[in-house]
Amino acid sequence: MEISKKQLDLVDAQIKRIIDSGNYYSEVYKKAGITGVSTPEDFKKIPFTDKADLRNAYPLGIQAVPDEKVVRIHSSSGTTGKPVIIPYTAKDVEDWATMFARCYEIAGITSKDRIQITPGYGLWTAGIGFQAGCEKLGAMAIPMGPGNTEKQLQMMIDLESTVICATSSYALLLAEEINKRGLKDKIKLKKGIIGSERWSEAKRNYIAKELGIELYDIYGLTEIYGPGIGINCPDQTGMHIFDDFLYTEIIDPQTLEVLPDGEEGEIVITTLVKEGAPLIRFRTHDLSRILPGQCSCGRSYPRLDTIRGRSDDMFKIHGVNMFPSQVEEILGSVDGVSSEYKIDIAHDNNSNKDIIMITAEADGRVDFMMAADKIRSLVKSRFNVTPKVAVVSLNTLPRSEKKTQRVFDHRGD
Ligand code: ZN
């Protein structure tokens, strides 16, 4: 979706504010000769920015307002290196709560609801965001934070919580406990707000069924306010993103080319009115696509599809971008095939072609040859790339407690 005139004006004002502030980005823009934007073409010339920039600017190098305007900081911990610090002004905190309250409203939550908040409080943006949005809406916040399942269940029953906010793993754990203890009749939950990450349909269905609730995916990241910048509506056709606060683009993570609506790539977000730490064209590394057209609910906010994974996990075969999650999805549709798999990519010098080899596991009742044929034809029809497929017995592939490496690229070997 092309940037609107109104959004352009906001970006223009933001760039001027950044330059005046003398912060980290003022230097970046001065060097690039950027003084403002007045057309969509100008906007497209603004360089992308990434988490690495925020680390370079540690601790407060991206602050774009005087100290007396900053009321709070949040921090996102990277897996490596320095954390990222994001300063917020009173207006930023207010705007975030406004967006979050809007998320609750879109999910059909009202001031009569009782919202049990299990994401963590502290330096990161989770718990406090859920809380501020809840208070703004006028609902009752039950600020539990994570863990202590005994107490969670006690409060859920005694206070008759109607909404649970959690990560998908914690929601699953609670659902399992409620099931195990036979507490389903005692709980009053109606809706779950789940921090957006890629999670399987099976997990989603289990939680929804065991708890008897509707589930909503809430999107956000610390660098861009925090969770609460977008959510699904009851029509469940993607997450509405608030275009009065943010401009969203989808890019090819390798060529950095902006992709048209409907095509899958990396989400890039521009804050339009953020004061403490404005970010223009920030690469989230989250993969999704902008759903074309308007939602059947009638809201005009643009929509992002479910997050498909991280661009860091992407690989390319014969010019086609592929993600492990897409392969996983195909495997999930084949009867008897497990969710464990391995992808090897190699270059065949004789034919001068890249070769993709998928190793999947299937249980004993499945004909391995037929399963392999099925996977091959599904991959071929989806990506127009014919893989080699090996189907092996269950528990052949290594399991890992941590994130399992799925893709092995041997092309540089
Ligand atoms: Zn909608």
PDB file of all heavy atoms in Angstrom, residues 20 38 49 148 169 183 198 209 287 325 375-376 380:
ATOM      1  N   ASP A  20      16.950  17.893  13.826  1.00  0.00           N
ATOM      2  CA  ASP A  20      17.129  18.922  14.860  1.00  0.00           C
ATOM      3  C   ASP A  20      17.662  18.348  16.166  1.00  0.00           C
ATOM      4  O   ASP A  20      18.375  19.018  16.904  1.00  0.00           O
ATOM      5  CB  ASP A  20      15.789  19.634  15.163  1.00  0.00           C
ATOM      6  CG  ASP A  20      15.402  20.584  14.032  1.00  0.00           C
ATOM      7  OD1 ASP A  20      16.282  20.884  13.199  1.00  0.00           O
ATOM      8  OD2 ASP A  20      14.233  21.009  13.989  1.00  0.00           O
ATOM      9  N   SER A  38       8.668  14.649   0.419  1.00  0.00           N
ATOM     10  CA  SER A  38       7.400  15.210  -0.030  1.00  0.00           C
ATOM     11  C   SER A  38       6.674  14.310  -1.018  1.00  0.00           C
ATOM     12  O   SER A  38       5.510  14.526  -1.319  1.00  0.00           O
ATOM     13  CB  SER A  38       7.606  16.610  -0.620  1.00  0.00           C
ATOM     14  OG  SER A  38       8.617  16.569  -1.593  1.00  0.00           O
ATOM     15  N   THR A  49      16.568   0.765   8.381  1.00  0.00           N
ATOM     16  CA  THR A  49      17.350   0.699   9.599  1.00  0.00           C
ATOM     17  C   THR A  49      17.052  -0.627  10.287  1.00  0.00           C
ATOM     18  O   THR A  49      16.054  -1.267   9.997  1.00  0.00           O
ATOM     19  CB  THR A  49      17.090   1.920  10.499  1.00  0.00           C
ATOM     20  OG1 THR A  49      17.887   1.782  11.673  1.00  0.00           O
ATOM     21  CG2 THR A  49      15.640   2.037  10.905  1.00  0.00           C
ATOM     22  N   ASN A 148       3.894 -19.091  38.319  1.00  0.00           N
ATOM     23  CA  ASN A 148       3.040 -19.367  39.469  1.00  0.00           C
ATOM     24  C   ASN A 148       1.637 -19.820  39.046  1.00  0.00           C
ATOM     25  O   ASN A 148       0.633 -19.166  39.327  1.00  0.00           O
ATOM     26  CB  ASN A 148       2.964 -18.133  40.382  1.00  0.00           C
ATOM     27  CG  ASN A 148       2.539 -18.519  41.798  1.00  0.00           C
ATOM     28  OD1 ASN A 148       2.064 -19.633  42.013  1.00  0.00           O
ATOM     29  ND2 ASN A 148       2.705 -17.604  42.735  1.00  0.00           N
ATOM     30  N   SER A 169       2.770 -20.476  24.407  1.00  0.00           N
ATOM     31  CA  SER A 169       3.230 -21.599  25.238  1.00  0.00           C
ATOM     32  C   SER A 169       2.610 -21.551  26.624  1.00  0.00           C
ATOM     33  O   SER A 169       2.255 -22.585  27.183  1.00  0.00           O
ATOM     34  CB  SER A 169       4.749 -21.633  25.394  1.00  0.00           C
ATOM     35  OG  SER A 169       5.370 -20.702  24.604  1.00  0.00           O
ATOM     36  N   LEU A 183     -10.960 -28.217  35.789  1.00  0.00           N
ATOM     37  CA  LEU A 183     -11.457 -26.911  36.252  1.00  0.00           C
ATOM     38  C   LEU A 183     -12.283 -26.177  35.201  1.00  0.00           C
ATOM     39  O   LEU A 183     -12.719 -25.054  35.434  1.00  0.00           O
ATOM     40  CB  LEU A 183     -10.270 -26.019  36.660  1.00  0.00           C
ATOM     41  CG  LEU A 183      -9.433 -26.503  37.841  1.00  0.00           C
ATOM     42  CD1 LEU A 183      -8.214 -25.612  38.027  1.00  0.00           C
ATOM     43  CD2 LEU A 183     -10.283 -26.514  39.110  1.00  0.00           C
ATOM     44  N   ARG A 198       4.854 -17.323  15.525  1.00  0.00           N
ATOM     45  CA  ARG A 198       4.339 -18.387  14.699  1.00  0.00           C
ATOM     46  C   ARG A 198       3.989 -19.558  15.595  1.00  0.00           C
ATOM     47  O   ARG A 198       4.806 -20.021  16.369  1.00  0.00           O
ATOM     48  CB  ARG A 198       5.396 -18.788  13.681  1.00  0.00           C
ATOM     49  CG  ARG A 198       4.822 -19.384  12.427  1.00  0.00           C
ATOM     50  CD  ARG A 198       5.920 -19.500  11.410  1.00  0.00           C
ATOM     51  NE  ARG A 198       7.033 -20.271  11.953  1.00  0.00           N
ATOM     52  CZ  ARG A 198       7.011 -21.590  12.092  1.00  0.00           C
ATOM     53  NH1 ARG A 198       5.963 -22.271  11.729  1.00  0.00           N
ATOM     54  NH2 ARG A 198       8.048 -22.224  12.570  1.00  0.00           N
ATOM     55  N   LYS A 209     -10.145 -24.929  22.237  1.00  0.00           N
ATOM     56  CA  LYS A 209     -11.111 -25.953  22.618  1.00  0.00           C
ATOM     57  C   LYS A 209     -11.076 -26.208  24.126  1.00  0.00           C
ATOM     58  O   LYS A 209     -12.114 -26.211  24.780  1.00  0.00           O
ATOM     59  CB  LYS A 209     -10.811 -27.235  21.843  1.00  0.00           C
ATOM     60  CG  LYS A 209     -11.900 -28.269  21.953  1.00  0.00           C
ATOM     61  CD  LYS A 209     -11.677 -29.392  20.928  1.00  0.00           C
ATOM     62  CE  LYS A 209     -12.246 -30.696  21.439  1.00  0.00           C
ATOM     63  NZ  LYS A 209     -11.330 -31.453  22.307  1.00  0.00           N
ATOM     64  N   LEU A 287       8.277 -12.140   9.075  1.00  0.00           N
ATOM     65  CA  LEU A 287       7.781 -12.388   7.721  1.00  0.00           C
ATOM     66  C   LEU A 287       6.264 -12.451   7.677  1.00  0.00           C
ATOM     67  O   LEU A 287       5.643 -13.123   8.495  1.00  0.00           O
ATOM     68  CB  LEU A 287       8.321 -13.727   7.226  1.00  0.00           C
ATOM     69  CG  LEU A 287       9.820 -13.790   7.064  1.00  0.00           C
ATOM     70  CD1 LEU A 287      10.243 -15.234   6.851  1.00  0.00           C
ATOM     71  CD2 LEU A 287      10.270 -12.941   5.885  1.00  0.00           C
ATOM     72  N   SER A 325       9.100 -22.499   7.511  1.00  0.00           N
ATOM     73  CA  SER A 325       7.695 -22.611   7.939  1.00  0.00           C
ATOM     74  C   SER A 325       6.794 -23.092   6.802  1.00  0.00           C
ATOM     75  O   SER A 325       5.817 -23.799   7.032  1.00  0.00           O
ATOM     76  CB  SER A 325       7.195 -21.269   8.456  1.00  0.00           C
ATOM     77  OG  SER A 325       7.304 -20.294   7.457  1.00  0.00           O
ATOM     78  N   ILE A 375       4.856 -35.257  -0.912  1.00  0.00           N
ATOM     79  CA  ILE A 375       5.602 -34.053  -0.494  1.00  0.00           C
ATOM     80  C   ILE A 375       6.246 -33.394  -1.720  1.00  0.00           C
ATOM     81  O   ILE A 375       6.170 -32.179  -1.898  1.00  0.00           O
ATOM     82  CB  ILE A 375       6.682 -34.420   0.556  1.00  0.00           C
ATOM     83  CG1 ILE A 375       6.018 -34.890   1.859  1.00  0.00           C
ATOM     84  CG2 ILE A 375       7.617 -33.237   0.826  1.00  0.00           C
ATOM     85  CD1 ILE A 375       6.955 -35.619   2.822  1.00  0.00           C
ATOM     86  N   ARG A 376       6.834 -34.228  -2.582  1.00  0.00           N
ATOM     87  CA  ARG A 376       7.506 -33.703  -3.775  1.00  0.00           C
ATOM     88  C   ARG A 376       6.518 -32.918  -4.645  1.00  0.00           C
ATOM     89  O   ARG A 376       6.797 -31.802  -5.070  1.00  0.00           O
ATOM     90  CB  ARG A 376       8.134 -34.857  -4.574  1.00  0.00           C
ATOM     91  CG  ARG A 376       9.085 -34.392  -5.667  1.00  0.00           C
ATOM     92  CD  ARG A 376       9.728 -35.569  -6.397  1.00  0.00           C
ATOM     93  NE  ARG A 376      10.399 -36.486  -5.479  1.00  0.00           N
ATOM     94  CZ  ARG A 376      10.013 -37.739  -5.226  1.00  0.00           C
ATOM     95  NH1 ARG A 376       8.983 -38.260  -5.856  1.00  0.00           N
ATOM     96  NH2 ARG A 376      10.669 -38.482  -4.361  1.00  0.00           N
ATOM     97  N   LYS A 380       6.528 -28.922  -5.378  1.00  0.00           N
ATOM     98  CA  LYS A 380       6.626 -28.520  -6.787  1.00  0.00           C
ATOM     99  C   LYS A 380       5.482 -27.571  -7.159  1.00  0.00           C
ATOM    100  O   LYS A 380       5.697 -26.551  -7.802  1.00  0.00           O
ATOM    101  CB  LYS A 380       6.591 -29.785  -7.669  1.00  0.00           C
ATOM    102  CG  LYS A 380       6.349 -29.551  -9.160  1.00  0.00           C
ATOM    103  CD  LYS A 380       7.667 -29.440  -9.895  1.00  0.00           C
ATOM    104  CE  LYS A 380       7.557 -29.456 -11.404  1.00  0.00           C
ATOM    105  NZ  LYS A 380       7.011 -28.248 -12.006  1.00  0.00           N
TER     106      LYS A 380
END
